[in-house]
């Protein structure tokens, strides 16, 4: 049987990645695969409690990075690794690239510290495929639901998101084997068609 794969969805807030997760999960299920969908920060009871703190409380940027990785440690132990060991495919709405993009790019935490945490928390695990939903800042801003109260990150200024987006694109260039960039300014149908071609080769 084919080895189970770990797929992550990334992009700045408002890129629209979360909308496409059920579609990709269904494409895989149609092949008879069992798929676990999850998210970060979160994915476990402890992780969801940490998510609540991370999205709503102001804290030192290193505290923020440490809590992101603490939630991730639990997520790997409770959800991601057991699922892959069972042969289930895993789709996560964000993973470590988000820490490099938001805490590293957006907040300017040193890459060395993030790499240290990455080596601690998942020395032997990387996503098999990372779909980076990329959009210009203005498009992402316009998409953020005007009705909903924005969380701590969504309230950040344009320079923060510009640095976050740049770091995502830098990582995509650094790890071309696992990253695929999805132009998220396209229509829903065009994005789905692109996703279908990317998933078909897995
Ligand atoms: P997001 O995935 O955008 O969820 P929703 O669509 O419900 O708003 O929210 C998670 C936020 O957490 C997002 O703004 C990015 C941020 N984040 C980090 O800053 N670092 C991380 O390591 C992760 C996983 C997320």
């Amino acid at each position: 049987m084919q080895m189970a794969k770990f797929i992550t969805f990334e992009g700045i807030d408002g890129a629209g990645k979360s909308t496409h997760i059920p579609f990709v999960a269904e494409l895989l299920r149609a092949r008879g695969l069992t798929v676990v969908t999850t998210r970060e920060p979160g994915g476990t009871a402890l992780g969801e409690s940490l998510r609540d703190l991370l999205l709503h409380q102001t804290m030192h940027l290193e505290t923020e990075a440490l809590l992101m990785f603490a939630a991730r440690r639990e997520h790997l132990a409770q959800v991601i690794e057991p699922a892959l060991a069972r042969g289930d495919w895993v789709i996560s709405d964000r993973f470590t690239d988000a820490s490099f993009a938001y805490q590293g790019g957006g907040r300017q935490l040193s890459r060395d510290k993030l790499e240290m945490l990455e080596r601690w928390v998942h020395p032997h695990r990387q996503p098999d495929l990372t779909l980076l939903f990329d959009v210009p800042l203005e498009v992402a801003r316009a998409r953020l639901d005007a009705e909903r109260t924005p969380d701590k990150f969504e309230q950040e200024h344009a320079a923060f998101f510009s640095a976050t987006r740049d770091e995502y694109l830098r990582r995509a260039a650094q790890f071309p084997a696992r990253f695929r960039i999805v132009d998220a300014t396209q229509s829903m149908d065009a994005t789905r068609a692109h996703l279908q071609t990317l998933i078909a080769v897995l």
Side-chain angles (χ1 to χ4, degrees):
M1 205 180 73
Q2 195 186 3
M3 279 277 281
K5 295 217 156 98
F6 178 31
I7 303 172
T8 57
F9 279 57
E10 299 284 358
I12 59 171
D13 291 86
K17 65 184 167 44
S18 311
T19 316
H20 296 286
I21 290 179
F23 175 72
V24 169
E26 279 317 307
L27 287 178
L28 295 170
R29 288 187 183 117
R31 284 198 221 163
L33 300 167
T34 304
V35 182
V36 173
T37 59
T38 184
R39 69 170 179 180
E40 289 204 352
T44 64
L46 175 66
E48 291 294 327
S49 301
L50 292 173
R51 178 188 179 90
D52 195 41
L53 294 171
L54 282 160
L55 266 51
H56 302 109
Q57 298 238 2
T58 307
M59 58 186 79
H60 188 278
L61 87 104
E62 293 194 353
T63 311
E64 186 178 276
L66 288 162
L67 288 181
M68 289 288 180
F69 276 94
R72 184 163 298 134
R73 186 69 195 89
E74 195 66 15
H75 194 207
L76 282 154
Q78 302 288 344
V79 178
I80 299 172
E81 294 297 349
L84 294 170
R86 284 195 304 272
D88 296 351
W89 286 45
V90 177
I91 298 179
S92 186
D93 188 344
R94 300 192 186 280
F95 191 62
T96 296
D97 294 303
S99 300
F100 281 93
Y102 280 78
Q103 282 67 52
R107 298 220 199 282
Q108 301 287 289
L109 179 61
S110 86
R111 204 173 286 159
D112 280 358
K113 285 186 175 164
L114 290 164
E115 281 171 355
M116 217 183 296
L117 289 170
E118 180 182 38
R119 273 197 305 277
W120 181 357
V121 168
H122 56 100
H124 308 300
R125 174 67 64 192
Q126 285 296 336
D128 297 290
L129 172 68
T130 298
L131 298 170
L132 174 56
F133 287 73
D134 185 52
V135 277
L137 301 195
E138 316 78 67
V139 178
R141 285 266 131 161
R143 278 189 191 156
L144 282 179
D145 188 356
E147 301 291 305
R148 204 171 52 123
T149 315
D151 65 39
K152 193 179 83 184
F153 294 101
E154 290 162 352
Q155 288 171 31
E156 285 291 344
H157 44 85
F160 174 92
F161 283 107
S162 173
T164 301
R165 182 189 184 202
D166 287 352
E167 181 62 15
Y168 268 134
L169 291 170
R170 202 196 58 73
R171 287 181 69 74
Q174 188 183 357
F175 304 109
R178 77 174 163 92
F179 266 92
R180 293 292 175 271
I181 298 177
V182 178
D183 172 3
T185 60
Q186 302 175 97
S187 69
M188 186 86 153
D189 283 351
T191 303
R192 286 185 167 193
H194 187 199
L195 289 171
Q196 229 153 356
T197 64
L198 295 174
I199 298 302
V201 297
L202 284 182

